[in-house]
Amino acid sequence: QLRHETNQHPDGDMQISPDQGQFMALLLQLMGAKNVLEIGTFTGYSSLWMTLALPADGTLITCDVSAEDTAIARRYWQAAGVTHKIDLRLAPALDTLDEMLATNQSGTFDFVLIDADKLNYSHYYEKSLELLRTGGLIAIDNVLWGGDVADPDDTDDDTVALRSLNQFLHQDERIDLTMLPIADGLTLALKR
């Protein structure tokens, strides 16, 4: 129902695909994840997939700036009975991440999903890596960007930001890396 409602949204194409949601839920179960951080809530479809995969004592902190979009999310979280596991932070995500780092939450998250404004992806990544435990996983959405990242003539700001991040991650010795061609591209970075 949430997927159907979001498809009617003017920005409905921002929603993750069902196969991506199912895949991330399986990863959380395989990892035994309990503490999840999501950067970019939108209408809560990915939040719902991940929260349903968490154990009874699991929690998800999700960051967004839109009260309107997250109001849709709240309705479906309530219907699914998972509201008690979700902590929605309505503020710029970088502020929320800085606050978490300042309150000694480094190394406490099992899994992070980055799926928000592309220009800040590199900043989200660095702060998320610090918040992630060793052996934890960062998932980064939209890394193929409709194939535009492979076109050197495409100099759109979002495309350049994603291309730059992809190149940086390939060289980052703090992680083990894979990029999957699922949906619009999903990078998985395992913290060493």
Side-chain angles (χ1 to χ4, degrees):
Q1 291 171 335
L2 173 55
R3 186 172 76 237
H4 177 72
E5 181 171 337
T6 304
N7 283 339
Q8 311 310 312
H9 189 286
D11 294 318
D13 61 337
M14 293 193 320
Q15 178 173 240
I16 67 163
S17 65
D19 55 338
Q20 182 177 339
Q22 185 178 36
F23 176 70
M24 291 190 308
L26 181 66
L27 285 177
L28 294 179
Q29 291 171 313
L30 285 169
M31 296 174 66
K34 288 186 177 183
N35 298 311
V36 175
L37 173 62
E38 177 182 48
I39 302 166
T41 313
F42 189 38
T43 61
Y45 185 62
S46 54
S47 306
L48 192 53
W49 266 110
M50 292 188 291
T51 306
L52 288 169
L54 293 176
D57 60 344
T59 58
L60 179 138
I61 296 175
T62 185
C63 308
D64 208 282
V65 293
S66 172
E68 183 179 345
D69 290 339
T70 57
I72 298 168
R74 287 179 193 267
R75 281 193 287 112
Y76 285 94
W77 298 339
Q78 180 72 34
V82 296
T83 303
H84 65 286
K85 292 184 181 182
I86 300 175
D87 179 0
L88 171 62
R89 310 274 178 98
L90 278 177
L94 290 174
D95 294 347
T96 301
L97 299 177
D98 284 339
E99 179 184 320
M100 288 192 284
L101 289 168
T103 55
N104 300 318
Q105 294 182 54
S106 296
T108 62
F109 287 90
D110 301 306
F111 185 91
V112 179
L113 172 62
I114 300 173
D115 186 12
D117 56 300
K118 310 314 172 209
L119 295 180
N120 276 313
Y121 263 32
S122 62
H123 301 297
Y124 296 147
Y125 169 74
E126 287 298 335
K127 293 177 188 299
S128 295
L129 195 61
E130 193 172 340
L131 289 163
L132 196 68
R133 67 168 171 83
T134 300
L137 194 64
I138 297 176
I140 307 171
D141 195 28
N142 304 116
V143 292
L144 293 178
W145 205 232
D148 292 345
V149 293
D151 180 0
D153 295 328
D154 191 325
T155 58
D156 170 78
D157 289 344
D158 288 339
T159 305
V160 170
L162 287 165
R163 184 183 302 127
S164 175
L165 178 65
N166 289 343
Q167 291 167 345
F168 174 80
L169 292 174
H170 186 67
Q171 306 297 326
D172 192 349
E173 295 184 356
R174 299 171 294 174
I175 58 167
D176 290 315
L177 181 70
T178 190
M179 181 189 289
L180 302 173
I182 189 172
D184 193 24
L186 184 69
T187 285
L188 299 176
L190 181 73
K191 184 175 179 179
R192 292 180 176 168

